[in-house]
Amino acid sequence: MKEIIKKIGDLSIPLIVGIAAALVWANIDASSYNRVIYAPLAFGVNFHFLVNDVFLVLFFGSVSIEIVHGIAPGGNLYPVKNTVSNLLGALGGVLLPIVIFFALNHFFGSPAYNNGWAIPTATDVAISLLFAQIIFGRKHPAFTFLLLLAIADDVAGLAIIALFYPDPELPVELPWLSLVFVAVAVAWLLNKHRVRSYWFYLLAGVLSWIGLHEANMHPSLALIFIIPFIPHTPKPGQERCPTELDRFEADFKPIVDYGLFFFGLSNAGVVFSSISVLTFIIFIALLFGKTFGIFALVKLAGLMKFNINPAITNLDLLLIGMTAGIGLTVSLFIAEIAYTDLVIGDAAKMGALFSLFNGFIAIAAAKLLRRRREPEHI
């Protein structure tokens, strides 16, 4: 039974079920869906806040463990200078979709659509990793490569939201960010003094969360700054024993895997509406912008001698870009704040929703092209 539960979580089935439930519920009875998701609970906090601002802290903390292992000696991202290609790839995956959005909108769209330029810059980390797992497997270096790229993309997305889509009623409070640096300093001191229990590091994560939240920035990345300090190097003679970071991952994996059901439920409740040209502008910008933007900038990084793992082929890199073209929930969030016109906003959300098909396109491309030829290595 434990193996079945683990397998269900590994395949992100709870996330898929949550998305499907949200779509069905929202289209049958949108008012009850919005009432449950956004109605204030205790202390004015709603279900959406608990999922996106609290639960996602654990999710991003868990996925960042892959990066910690990846940049360790012998890891897929070692040496650290190799991560430059991930960061440049993320930059390409942000810039080219913007260019394609404005180009398509200029010829086929409307000036009223301009404010949605950031929608195709997003990558849905959770769902893109699900498709990457299907295409590559968790042990393939392409999976870790996409993980770091997607997180860097998400950080860029949050910065775009903070800088270009600020809430006039909630401006960024920079002094509160100092609390994040305090949290990092505390985690560093804990590590230096060989404090092994991960619970003390999670307390530092609470400080990081408060700093980001009070600065009016999304606090979901709070643990990413803390995870690298949780002891993850085996003691001499105990190489086969789990480290404290391994214990944290094992203890919280079921919570994260099954908690993704509520993430899908609270974010994917889009009411199907009339599809406009904006829908296809966003979809195309995500598919082609991410695919070729990431590919081009990673290749540029290679010319600058920042090479990637040789096991990642040219085809793998294109598939990484297609998979990163799944904006979905993050794109839905940006669409929500980009447009005040509900009709335009609904059309934009449909484009974000359709980006889920980019994952299936990547799977089909992987099977077709891998069957036809053996791709060359970068």
Side-chain angles (χ1 to χ4, degrees):
M1 187 63 182
K2 288 183 178 179
E3 286 299 318
I4 294 176
I5 293 174
K6 181 178 182 299
K7 190 66 174 179
I8 290 173
D10 288 342
L11 294 176
S12 295
I13 291 176
L15 174 62
I16 297 172
V17 173
I19 292 173
L23 287 170
V24 172
W25 186 2
N27 283 276
I28 291 176
D29 190 349
S31 61
S32 70
Y33 173 83
N34 290 324
R35 187 165 59 250
V36 170
I37 301 300
Y38 296 104
L41 303 173
F43 306 105
V45 173
N46 58 36
F47 181 77
H48 189 268
F49 175 88
L50 291 175
V51 172
N52 283 33
D53 290 38
V54 179
F55 164 73
L56 279 189
V57 176
L58 291 175
F59 170 75
F60 283 118
S62 295
V63 297
S64 66
I65 292 174
E66 298 285 349
I67 296 176
V68 173
H69 291 319
I71 63 178
N76 292 327
L77 298 176
Y78 185 83
V80 177
K81 70 175 185 178
N82 288 349
T83 61
V84 172
S85 59
N86 299 75
L87 300 179
L88 282 177
L91 180 63
V94 168
L95 295 181
L96 189 56
I98 294 174
V99 172
I100 292 177
F101 177 91
F102 278 120
L104 292 176
N105 193 47
H106 174 76
F107 290 105
F108 306 105
S110 163
Y113 300 161
N114 283 339
N115 202 42
W117 59 268
I119 297 173
T121 66
T123 293
D124 189 304
V125 177
I127 300 180
S128 65
L129 290 179
L130 166 63
F131 280 96
Q133 182 174 318
I134 295 171
I135 295 169
F136 303 109
R138 291 182 67 90
K139 300 301 182 182
H140 194 286
F143 181 88
T144 309
F145 186 91
L146 175 62
L147 173 60
L148 179 56
L149 186 149
I151 289 179
D153 181 281
D154 204 60
V155 171
L158 293 174
I160 288 173
I161 292 170
L163 293 173
F164 298 99
Y165 297 96
D167 187 334
E169 298 181 1
L170 295 172
V172 176
E173 299 287 349
L174 291 178
W176 277 101
L177 291 180
S178 61
L179 200 56
V180 178
F181 293 100
V182 172
V184 172
V186 169
W188 177 79
L189 287 171
L190 289 171
N191 182 277
K192 185 177 181 181
H193 288 85
R194 303 181 185 279
V195 176
R196 304 200 68 81
S197 175
Y198 65 72
W199 289 105
F200 291 99
Y201 296 88
L202 294 187
L203 290 176
V206 172
L207 283 179
S208 178
W209 188 92
I210 294 172
L212 290 171
H213 181 266
E214 294 301 315
N216 296 323
M217 300 183 70
H218 207 290
S220 61
L221 301 179
L223 270 184
I224 285 181
F225 308 109
I226 307 301
I227 290 295
F229 297 100
I230 298 179
H232 53 273
T233 304
K235 293 180 179 180
Q238 299 182 3
E239 285 76 11
R240 295 186 178 181
C241 297
T243 65
E244 197 61 21
L245 188 60
D246 294 331
R247 294 189 184 95
F248 168 79
E249 182 177 22
D251 290 347
F252 282 91
K253 188 178 188 304
I255 297 174
V256 171
D257 287 346
Y258 282 84
L260 285 174
F261 166 82
F262 300 104
F263 174 70
L265 185 68
S266 67
N267 286 275
V270 181
V271 177
F272 291 105
S273 60
S274 58
I275 298 172
S276 76
V277 66
L278 178 60
T279 302
F280 296 101
I281 288 174
I282 291 171
F283 174 75
I284 293 171
L286 273 165
L287 177 59
F288 292 98
K290 288 289 184 183
T291 301
F292 296 107
I294 290 171
F295 185 88
L297 266 291
V298 172
K299 296 292 283 185
L300 176 62
L303 295 176
M304 298 166 60
K305 306 304 181 183
F306 294 108
N307 297 317
I308 62 176
N309 192 307
I312 301 176
T313 67
N314 284 332
L315 174 58
D316 291 336
L317 192 55
L318 288 171
L319 295 174
I320 287 171
M322 290 181 195
T323 309
I326 304 172
L328 201 60
T329 51
V330 182
S331 293
L332 287 172
F333 176 71
I334 299 176
E336 180 75 28
I337 61 177
Y339 299 112
T340 55
D341 187 308
L342 295 180
V343 175
I344 296 177
D346 285 345
K349 289 180 180 180
M350 290 303 296
L353 187 62
F354 284 174
S355 72
L356 180 62
F357 290 106
N358 291 340
F360 295 103
I361 292 173
I363 291 175
K367 290 185 176 181
L368 177 63
L369 297 177
R370 283 174 177 167
R371 186 165 57 241
R372 283 186 174 181
R373 64 184 178 86
E374 184 68 22
E376 298 177 358
H377 289 287
I378 291 177

mmCIF file of all heavy atoms in Angstrom, residues 33 77 133 147 179 198 213 229 234 246 248 303 377:
data_model
loop_
_atom_site.group_PDB
_atom_site.id
_atom_site.type_symbol
_atom_site.label_atom_id
_atom_site.label_comp_id
_atom_site.label_asym_id
_atom_site.label_seq_id
_atom_site.Cartn_x
_atom_site.Cartn_y
_atom_site.Cartn_z
ATOM 1 N N TYR A 33 -17.509 27.918 -6.284
ATOM 2 C CA TYR A 33 -16.064 27.703 -6.343
ATOM 3 C C TYR A 33 -15.318 28.903 -5.752
ATOM 4 O O TYR A 33 -14.453 28.753 -4.881
ATOM 5 C CB TYR A 33 -15.619 27.477 -7.784
ATOM 6 C CG TYR A 33 -14.108 27.422 -7.958
ATOM 7 C CD1 TYR A 33 -13.420 26.239 -7.726
ATOM 8 C CD2 TYR A 33 -13.388 28.555 -8.345
ATOM 9 C CE1 TYR A 33 -12.035 26.188 -7.873
ATOM 10 C CE2 TYR A 33 -12.011 28.513 -8.489
ATOM 11 C CZ TYR A 33 -11.335 27.332 -8.256
ATOM 12 O OH TYR A 33 -9.964 27.292 -8.384
ATOM 13 N N LEU A 77 24.818 19.232 -11.749
ATOM 14 C CA LEU A 77 25.104 20.648 -11.994
ATOM 15 C C LEU A 77 26.505 21.044 -11.525
ATOM 16 O O LEU A 77 26.813 22.224 -11.438
ATOM 17 C CB LEU A 77 24.058 21.522 -11.285
ATOM 18 C CG LEU A 77 22.618 21.345 -11.745
ATOM 19 C CD1 LEU A 77 21.679 22.182 -10.899
ATOM 20 C CD2 LEU A 77 22.474 21.708 -13.213
ATOM 21 N N GLN A 133 9.521 14.515 -15.933
ATOM 22 C CA GLN A 133 9.706 13.194 -15.341
ATOM 23 C C GLN A 133 9.245 12.108 -16.301
ATOM 24 O O GLN A 133 9.874 11.057 -16.416
ATOM 25 C CB GLN A 133 8.929 13.110 -14.032
ATOM 26 C CG GLN A 133 9.077 11.788 -13.296
ATOM 27 C CD GLN A 133 8.402 11.814 -11.939
ATOM 28 O OE1 GLN A 133 8.493 12.791 -11.213
ATOM 29 N NE2 GLN A 133 7.714 10.752 -11.594
ATOM 30 N N LEU A 147 14.820 21.845 -13.676
ATOM 31 C CA LEU A 147 14.428 22.271 -12.335
ATOM 32 C C LEU A 147 15.042 23.615 -11.979
ATOM 33 O O LEU A 147 14.338 24.548 -11.572
ATOM 34 C CB LEU A 147 14.847 21.202 -11.321
ATOM 35 C CG LEU A 147 14.673 21.553 -9.843
ATOM 36 C CD1 LEU A 147 13.214 21.849 -9.530
ATOM 37 C CD2 LEU A 147 15.200 20.442 -8.962
ATOM 38 N N LEU A 179 14.942 41.071 6.822
ATOM 39 C CA LEU A 179 14.637 39.900 7.651
ATOM 40 C C LEU A 179 15.007 38.605 6.928
ATOM 41 O O LEU A 179 15.358 37.609 7.573
ATOM 42 C CB LEU A 179 13.151 39.895 8.020
ATOM 43 C CG LEU A 179 12.742 39.055 9.238
ATOM 44 C CD1 LEU A 179 13.526 39.477 10.459
ATOM 45 C CD2 LEU A 179 11.249 39.184 9.496
ATOM 46 N N TYR A 198 16.619 19.485 11.332
ATOM 47 C CA TYR A 198 16.104 20.417 10.322
ATOM 48 C C TYR A 198 15.032 21.349 10.877
ATOM 49 O O TYR A 198 14.722 22.374 10.282
ATOM 50 C CB TYR A 198 15.592 19.667 9.089
ATOM 51 C CG TYR A 198 14.392 18.770 9.296
ATOM 52 C CD1 TYR A 198 13.120 19.289 9.508
ATOM 53 C CD2 TYR A 198 14.516 17.377 9.227
ATOM 54 C CE1 TYR A 198 12.011 18.474 9.660
ATOM 55 C CE2 TYR A 198 13.413 16.552 9.370
ATOM 56 C CZ TYR A 198 12.165 17.099 9.599
ATOM 57 O OH TYR A 198 11.068 16.296 9.743
ATOM 58 N N HIS A 213 6.768 38.197 3.081
ATOM 59 C CA HIS A 213 5.342 38.524 3.150
ATOM 60 C C HIS A 213 5.137 39.993 3.515
ATOM 61 O O HIS A 213 4.332 40.694 2.895
ATOM 62 C CB HIS A 213 4.653 37.617 4.174
ATOM 63 C CG HIS A 213 3.182 37.863 4.297
ATOM 64 N ND1 HIS A 213 2.646 38.722 5.242
ATOM 65 C CD2 HIS A 213 2.125 37.399 3.578
ATOM 66 C CE1 HIS A 213 1.334 38.755 5.101
ATOM 67 N NE2 HIS A 213 0.994 37.967 4.101
ATOM 68 N N PHE A 229 21.571 25.218 3.677
ATOM 69 C CA PHE A 229 22.304 25.172 4.939
ATOM 70 C C PHE A 229 21.941 23.961 5.797
ATOM 71 O O PHE A 229 22.633 23.666 6.772
ATOM 72 C CB PHE A 229 22.054 26.462 5.731
ATOM 73 C CG PHE A 229 22.556 27.695 5.037
ATOM 74 C CD1 PHE A 229 21.685 28.518 4.330
ATOM 75 C CD2 PHE A 229 23.899 28.020 5.063
ATOM 76 C CE1 PHE A 229 22.144 29.653 3.681
ATOM 77 C CE2 PHE A 229 24.383 29.145 4.411
ATOM 78 C CZ PHE A 229 23.495 29.967 3.712
ATOM 79 N N PRO A 234 27.254 13.588 4.458
ATOM 80 C CA PRO A 234 27.314 12.487 5.425
ATOM 81 C C PRO A 234 28.533 12.607 6.347
ATOM 82 O O PRO A 234 29.589 13.110 5.942
ATOM 83 C CB PRO A 234 27.426 11.235 4.540
ATOM 84 C CG PRO A 234 26.966 11.670 3.196
ATOM 85 C CD PRO A 234 27.322 13.111 3.072
ATOM 86 N N ASP A 246 18.137 14.687 3.773
ATOM 87 C CA ASP A 246 17.404 13.512 3.289
ATOM 88 C C ASP A 246 16.181 13.245 4.173
ATOM 89 O O ASP A 246 15.106 12.885 3.670
ATOM 90 C CB ASP A 246 18.303 12.275 3.295
ATOM 91 C CG ASP A 246 19.441 12.381 2.295
ATOM 92 O OD1 ASP A 246 19.261 13.067 1.270
ATOM 93 O OD2 ASP A 246 20.515 11.795 2.556
ATOM 94 N N PHE A 248 14.503 15.449 5.958
ATOM 95 C CA PHE A 248 13.505 16.489 5.670
ATOM 96 C C PHE A 248 12.728 16.133 4.409
ATOM 97 O O PHE A 248 11.495 16.204 4.378
ATOM 98 C CB PHE A 248 14.192 17.845 5.497
ATOM 99 C CG PHE A 248 13.300 18.912 4.923
ATOM 100 C CD1 PHE A 248 12.380 19.570 5.721
ATOM 101 C CD2 PHE A 248 13.372 19.240 3.573
ATOM 102 C CE1 PHE A 248 11.540 20.542 5.186
ATOM 103 C CE2 PHE A 248 12.543 20.213 3.034
ATOM 104 C CZ PHE A 248 11.625 20.858 3.851
ATOM 105 N N LEU A 303 28.989 28.751 -26.273
ATOM 106 C CA LEU A 303 30.028 29.503 -26.981
ATOM 107 C C LEU A 303 30.891 30.298 -26.018
ATOM 108 O O LEU A 303 32.057 30.586 -26.304
ATOM 109 C CB LEU A 303 29.376 30.445 -28.005
ATOM 110 C CG LEU A 303 28.622 29.775 -29.163
ATOM 111 C CD1 LEU A 303 27.958 30.819 -30.043
ATOM 112 C CD2 LEU A 303 29.579 28.902 -29.987
ATOM 113 N N HIS A 377 25.041 15.268 -29.533
ATOM 114 C CA HIS A 377 25.257 15.944 -28.260
ATOM 115 C C HIS A 377 25.679 17.385 -28.503
ATOM 116 O O HIS A 377 26.279 17.714 -29.517
ATOM 117 C CB HIS A 377 26.358 15.233 -27.446
ATOM 118 C CG HIS A 377 25.901 13.898 -26.911
ATOM 119 N ND1 HIS A 377 25.010 13.780 -25.883
ATOM 120 C CD2 HIS A 377 26.208 12.635 -27.293
ATOM 121 C CE1 HIS A 377 24.799 12.504 -25.630
ATOM 122 N NE2 HIS A 377 25.513 11.785 -26.470
#
